């Protein structure tokens, strides 16, 4: 005889899953213990949202879903924020939610809540196994749904009565491990159309999305870029598919490249708010889009693509390279299009260089990030969240390897940073010992999940946390002004909504664990803190960098979010 707890743990093991992130409690206490007993690795968090953020980041890094384990009612409600983020971000994750005993439903059971119905809008598959004997069948299906097609979240509901149910071993429905997702090959006719369109273009551009990173298409995309000389732009988590330092990267001329291109090859990126929906004024009215995406429903979304290819990015790019080689086509690096891009890029680089060179205290974002970049190893995984902290940081902190940047993503979710960093550190520990994880947070963003520092200490994860502290959301107040305003009347009436407490010493949180953090206001102090932090190999570090509360980004020609014209 086996009970539901043991059946579930063994079913997860059978599907080749390795990590479970969560918070244990009634009714999943025994399940958590069984999970460890069968050889899975359990990582306990301080908040269920952070656990779900970690699980989905691990799924993105490995293409294999990690598991989130949570208690009933409020526990699952906390996880739903993470499920929604995984679903919008297209990252695989499997959530297991303990729930009210079935014989208590409808009469006010402990933490009773319609959990399957509540989860369904935020995932690809939500179900309650009807009996403990059928748990393996639903686990396999949940893993399959999470990884096949466009990846996403799945949910299995586990009432206490099912977890405690005993079943004869010969009545348990056994399943095979879920096979790897099938490869979708492109329609060769669409490949030829795309090649002809690129050959006829005058100002072509490649946009590389995180779908190319998730699809492990880096070698093929690099071959395409270098064989053709095509300029490319990465989306935030498309960074590193082709190195940011590659001379064909035109991130420094992003707005100009988008505005002027007549043909854009879109590889695993969506024309959503992050790419201004493909609409003017950020794009030409008559721009032709060659769209490559795994999801059929994404094709022609927002704008009608000239060529739409539903296929795996790796094999699509391989086929496109062959088609372009047969046409003996490439871009002239000394041609007019590249001259325009280089001119604009150099102009923008000079502006940024001036801002980076200003090391007057209080520092601006650019000076702080330039100092940090000098210490970041080439293979470092960078996690980042915040408003200006994340946006400016991605322009200065470079990624030269794929899947080495994790940020707020498509959903723009705050609170993901420390969970992402924990997942990245575990991934590095297992797959690339010595590789470092840098977690760069705005002070507001850090507040969402700061207590996960304890999780990092518990599991001895040497994450380097850097807080870019401007005393607020977007901007804050200097210490003297804050104190004057704070005592000028009712704080709820006089303290600006964007303001946080000035000069908060977040680094002192490490003293709870017998460690010492770093408080920095100058470049020299940042340099010393980074040297010490990168030398720490068994525990997290925290560097709190005070910058000018009114520091801002480079002046933008357009607002960062394109407004609808409808």
């Amino acid at each position: 005889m086996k009970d539901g707890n043991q059946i579930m743990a063994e079913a997860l093991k059978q599907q080749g899953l390795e990590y479970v992130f969560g918070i244990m409690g009634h009714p999943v206490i025994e399940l958590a213990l069984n999970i460890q007993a069968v050889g899975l690795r359990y990582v306990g968090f301080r908040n269920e949202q952070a656990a779900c953020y970690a699980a989905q980041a691990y799924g993105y890094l490995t293409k294999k879903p990690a598991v989130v384990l949570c208690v009933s009612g409020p526990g699952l409600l906390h996880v739903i924020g993470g499920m929604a983020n995984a679903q919008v971000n297209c990252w695989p994750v499997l959530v297991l939610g303990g729930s009210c005993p079935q014989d208590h439903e409808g009469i006010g059971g402990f933490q009773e809540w319609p959990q399957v119905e509540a989860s369904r809008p935020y995932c690809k598959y939500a179900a309650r196994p009807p009996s403990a004997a059928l748990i393996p069948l639903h686990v396999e299906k949940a893993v399959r749904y999470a990884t096949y097609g466009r990846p996403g979240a799945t949910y299995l509901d586990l009432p206490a009565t099912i977890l405690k149910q005993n079943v004869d071993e010969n009545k348990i429905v056994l399943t095979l491990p879920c096979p790897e997702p099938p490869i979708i090959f492109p329609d060769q006719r669409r490949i030829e159309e795309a090649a002809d369109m690129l050959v006829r273009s005058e100002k072509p551009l490649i946009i590389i999305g995180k779908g190319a990173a998730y699809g492990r298409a880096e070698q093929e995309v690099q071959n395409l870029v270098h064989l053709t000389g095509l300029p490319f732009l990465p989306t935030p988590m498309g960074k590193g598919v082709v190195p940011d330092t590659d001379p064909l990267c035109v991130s420094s001329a992003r707005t100009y490249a988008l505005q002027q291109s007549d043909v854009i090859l879109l590889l695993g990126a969506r024309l959503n708010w992050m790419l201004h929906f493909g609409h003017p004024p950020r794009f030409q009215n008559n721009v032709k889009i060659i769209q490559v995406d795994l999801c059929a429903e994404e094709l022609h979304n927002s704008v009608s693509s000239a060529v739409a290819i539903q296929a795996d990015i790796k094999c699509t790019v391989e086929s496109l390279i062959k088609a372009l080689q047969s046409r003996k086509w490439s871009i002239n690096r000394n041609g007019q299009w590249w001259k325009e891009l280089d001119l604009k890029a150099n102009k923008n680089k000079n502006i940024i260089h001036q801002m980076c060179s200003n090391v007057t205290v209080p520092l601006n974002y650019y000076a702080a990030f330039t100092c940090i970049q000098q210490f970041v190893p080439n293979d470092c995984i960078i996690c980042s969240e915040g408003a200006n902290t994340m946006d400016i940081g991605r322009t200065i902190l470079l990624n030269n390897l794929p899947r080495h940047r994790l940020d707020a993503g498509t959903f723009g979710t705050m609170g993901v940073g420390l969970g992402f960093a924990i997942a990245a550190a575990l991934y590095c520990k297992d797959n690339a010992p010595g590789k470092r994880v840098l977690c760069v947070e705005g002070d507001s963003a850090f507040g969402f999940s700061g207590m996960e520092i304890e999780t990092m200490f518990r599991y001895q994860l040497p994450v380097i946390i850097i807080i870019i502290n401007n005393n607020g959301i977007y901007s804050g107040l200097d210490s003297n002004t804050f104190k004057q305003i704070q005592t000028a009347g009712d704080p709820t009436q006089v303290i600006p909504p964007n303001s946080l407490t000035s000069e908060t010493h977040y680094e002192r949180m490490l003293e709870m664990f017998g460690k010492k953090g770093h408080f920095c206001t100058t470049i020299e102090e940042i340099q010393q803190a980074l040297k010490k932090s990168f030398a720490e190999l068994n525990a997290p570090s925290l560097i709190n960098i005070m910058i000018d509360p009114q520091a801002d980004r480079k002046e933008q020609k357009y607002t960062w979010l394109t407004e609808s014209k409808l």
Side-chain angles (χ1 to χ4, degrees):
M1 299 286 285
K2 292 182 179 179
D3 68 7
N5 291 299
Q6 187 175 357
I7 294 169
M8 171 56 76
E10 291 177 354
L12 298 174
K13 182 75 172 177
Q14 172 69 9
Q15 292 304 319
L17 306 187
E18 297 177 16
Y19 274 99
V20 179
F21 302 108
I23 297 179
M24 61 95 78
H26 181 78
V28 294
I29 297 171
E30 290 80 9
L31 178 54
L33 296 172
N34 274 272
I35 280 169
Q36 287 185 315
V38 300
L40 274 74
R41 302 161 81 178
Y42 180 84
V43 182
F45 277 71
R46 303 305 300 268
N47 179 280
E48 290 96 346
Q49 271 193 9
C52 193
Y53 295 143
Q56 63 196 254
Y58 196 84
Y60 170 69
L61 292 170
T62 63
K63 297 188 76 173
K64 179 188 297 183
V67 179
V68 182
L69 181 66
C70 64
V71 301
S72 50
L76 176 63
L77 185 58
H78 293 168
V79 169
I80 279 180
M83 290 172 65
N85 189 69
Q87 189 69 0
V88 174
N89 227 25
C90 308
W91 288 359
V93 67
L94 167 58
V95 177
L96 304 179
S99 62
C100 171
Q102 290 163 297
D103 55 343
H104 290 184
E105 291 179 343
I107 56 173
F110 175 66
Q111 296 184 334
E112 180 183 354
W113 193 44
Q115 296 184 187
V116 175
E117 294 88 340
S119 301
R120 190 164 284 127
Y122 309 103
C123 57
K124 295 177 67 178
Y125 177 67
R128 171 188 289 182
S131 70
L134 291 171
I135 283 175
L137 183 150
H138 286 273
V139 169
E140 188 279 335
K141 187 173 183 179
V143 170
R144 181 158 36 89
Y145 272 55
T147 53
Y148 277 39
R150 173 181 280 177
T154 55
Y155 173 70
L156 293 180
D157 195 57
L158 303 173
T161 38
I162 287 181
L163 290 174
K164 293 178 180 179
Q165 185 180 29
N166 289 306
V167 181
D168 288 334
E169 288 194 43
N170 60 1
K171 292 183 178 179
I172 298 171
V173 178
L174 300 179
T175 59
L176 295 173
C178 175
E180 289 189 7
I183 296 174
I184 303 175
F185 288 89
D187 184 334
Q188 192 59 36
R189 294 171 299 177
R190 303 288 87 81
I191 293 293
E192 298 299 327
E193 290 175 10
D196 289 338
M197 191 167 291
L198 285 168
V199 168
R200 293 193 299 267
S201 65
E202 295 181 0
K203 297 181 177 182
L205 177 70
I206 300 177
I207 297 177
I208 303 170
K210 72 172 176 285
Y214 183 83
R216 281 31 180 194
E218 54 266 21
Q219 190 58 62
E220 291 75 15
V221 176
Q222 288 177 31
N223 291 342
L224 174 66
V225 168
H226 295 144
L227 287 169
T228 62
L230 280 163
F232 73 90
L233 278 176
T235 63
M237 277 187 276
K239 283 162 62 72
V241 171
V242 184
D244 285 343
T245 52
D246 193 290
L248 300 181
C249 178
V250 291
S251 290
S252 296
R254 181 182 188 273
T255 296
Y256 187 84
L258 293 177
Q259 281 183 314
Q260 299 299 318
S261 296
D262 59 353
V263 173
I264 293 176
L265 175 59
L266 196 65
L267 297 176
R270 290 173 280 181
L271 289 174
N272 53 24
W273 67 273
M274 298 181 79
L275 286 173
H276 319 288
F277 314 107
H279 294 171
R282 295 298 190 113
F283 292 78
Q284 290 191 39
N285 270 316
N286 59 349
V287 64
K288 293 181 174 61
I289 305 291
I290 302 168
Q291 187 178 14
V292 183
D293 202 283
L294 202 61
C295 178
E297 289 79 6
E298 190 60 40
L299 301 176
H300 306 294
N301 192 30
S302 186
V303 299
S304 181
S305 298
V307 180
I309 304 173
Q310 183 202 6
D312 177 83
I313 291 176
K314 287 184 67 170
C315 57
T316 299
V317 173
E318 286 177 343
S319 296
L320 186 57
I321 288 173
K322 292 177 182 177
L324 292 172
Q325 284 181 322
S326 70
R327 290 161 172 78
K328 296 182 172 58
W329 179 82
S330 64
I331 295 291
N332 183 357
R333 188 63 178 83
N334 297 313
Q336 183 60 33
W337 178 220
W338 264 112
K339 287 181 180 178
E340 293 175 20
L341 291 170
D342 287 338
L343 183 66
K344 188 63 177 178
N346 290 333
K347 181 179 178 180
N348 287 337
K349 286 177 182 177
N350 288 334
I351 295 171
I352 297 298
H353 178 71
Q354 292 175 10
M355 301 179 78
C356 294
S357 301
N358 180 7
V359 294
T360 304
V361 176
L363 299 170
N364 63 38
Y365 286 101
Y366 296 88
F369 279 126
T370 299
C371 179
I372 294 167
Q373 171 59 31
Q374 294 168 357
F375 285 83
V376 177
N378 185 63
D379 65 346
C380 184
I381 295 181
I382 300 173
C383 307
S384 184
E385 62 174 328
N388 291 341
T389 295
M390 182 177 67
D391 294 340
I392 298 172
R394 78 165 63 102
T395 68
I396 308 295
L397 302 179
L398 304 180
N399 292 99
N400 289 321
L401 294 172
R403 300 170 297 282
H404 278 59
R405 179 181 170 86
L406 305 171
D407 68 21
T410 310
F411 212 22
T413 306
M414 292 296 101
V416 298
L418 272 69
F420 282 4
I422 289 169
L426 291 168
Y427 172 82
C428 292
K429 197 173 183 179
D430 295 342
N431 299 281
K435 186 190 290 284
R436 301 309 301 271
V437 176
L438 187 67
C439 183
V440 185
E441 301 274 300
D443 52 328
S444 172
F446 177 74
F448 284 80
S449 57
M451 274 312 300
E452 298 304 337
I453 284 180
E454 189 274 329
T455 307
M456 294 179 181
F457 270 99
R458 198 174 349 129
Y459 294 103
Q460 299 179 308
L461 303 175
V463 175
I464 299 167
I465 303 168
I466 297 179
I467 299 175
I468 304 296
N469 191 347
N470 69 346
N471 301 336
I473 303 170
Y474 302 111
S475 62
L477 300 172
D478 64 83
S479 185
N480 289 335
T481 303
F482 178 79
K483 289 174 182 177
Q484 290 172 9
I485 289 178
Q486 191 180 31
T487 58
D490 179 354
T492 65
Q493 291 287 301
V494 297
I495 295 177
N498 62 297
S499 181
L500 300 174
T501 304
S502 63
E503 296 190 9
T504 301
H505 282 262
Y506 298 105
E507 78 285 351
R508 291 181 181 170
M509 291 179 70
L510 266 65
E511 294 175 16
M512 297 187 292
F513 309 99
K515 294 285 186 176
K516 185 179 174 72
H518 308 275
F519 183 79
C520 305
T521 60
T522 68
I523 293 298
E524 291 74 18
E525 289 171 343
I526 297 173
Q527 291 171 338
Q528 290 302 313
L530 286 166
K531 288 178 183 177
K532 293 178 181 178
S533 297
F534 275 106
E536 175 60 70
L537 301 178
N538 296 306
S541 306
L542 199 157
I543 305 172
N544 183 14
I545 302 176
M546 289 302 310
I547 65 168
D548 184 348
Q550 298 300 312
D552 203 355
R553 65 177 70 186
K554 181 178 81 71
E555 185 178 350
Q556 305 292 301
K557 183 176 181 180
Y558 299 103
T559 58
W560 65 274
L561 183 60
T562 300
E563 297 295 330
S564 172
K565 304 301 180 185
L566 300 178

